[in-house]
Amino acid sequence: MLTLFKTKLGRIRIIGFLEGLSLLVLIFVAIPMKHLFHNTALSKFLGPIHGAIFLVFVLNTMSLAIEQNWKFRTTTWKIIVACFIPFGTFYIDHKIFKNLKES
């Protein structure tokens, strides 16, 4: 786990995990609490945090794509789209990030 912090690819995998986790908590816990129980505390707290993690993930993805010369049509767009889908970042980590090598 600590080796992930040493490389840009490792850090983006960690950020992707946090982004995916925050999206799942937001969708499956905070939003139902907001609409079913009229309790907006968690969505007000977690919404901006998820938004910030999302932006950090997208910016790091673009930075890494430029650095490693990824083709937008084959790799980068899949990673960006995965941010919008629940469990998407976990899928991308398993299918794309695990197979990439830090150059």
Side-chain angles (χ1 to χ4, degrees), residues 80-96:
I80 301 297
V81 169
C83 295
F84 295 98
I85 302 168
F87 301 101
T89 55
F90 304 117
Y91 177 79
I92 289 299
D93 183 67
H94 179 71
K95 289 293 185 180
I96 295 178

Side-chain angles (χ1 to χ4, degrees), residues 7-9 22 26 30 45 49-50 60 69 74 76 94 101 103:
T7 64
K8 197 174 233 185
L9 181 60
S22 68
L26 194 62
F45 174 74
I49 292 172
H50 168 71
N60 279 304
N69 296 321
T74 58
T76 309
H94 179 71
K101 302 291 183 229
S103 58

Side-chain angles (χ1 to χ4, degrees), residues 2-90:
L2 292 177
T3 58
L4 289 176
F5 288 104
K6 294 180 182 177
T7 64
K8 197 174 233 185
L9 181 60
R11 286 189 294 271
I12 200 168
R13 289 181 71 188
I14 292 169
I15 296 167
F17 175 79
L18 294 174
E19 196 278 333
L21 185 65
S22 68
L23 178 63
L24 291 177
V25 172
L26 194 62
I27 290 175
F28 294 115
V29 178
I31 299 302
M33 280 180 58
K34 178 180 177 181
H35 292 287
L36 295 176
F37 304 112
H38 306 290
N39 184 349
T40 61
L42 187 58
S43 61
K44 283 183 180 180
F45 174 74
L46 190 59
I49 292 172
H50 168 71
I53 295 171
F54 171 80
L55 289 175
V56 168
F57 182 76
V58 170
L59 291 174
N60 279 304
T61 298
M62 297 306 292
S63 172
L64 191 61
I66 292 168
E67 184 179 294
Q68 292 195 356
N69 296 321
W70 291 347
K71 293 186 179 184
F72 187 81
R73 291 179 180 243
T74 58
T75 305
T76 309
W77 77 271
K78 292 176 185 176
I79 296 169
I80 301 297
V81 169
C83 295
F84 295 98
I85 302 168
F87 301 101
T89 55
F90 304 117

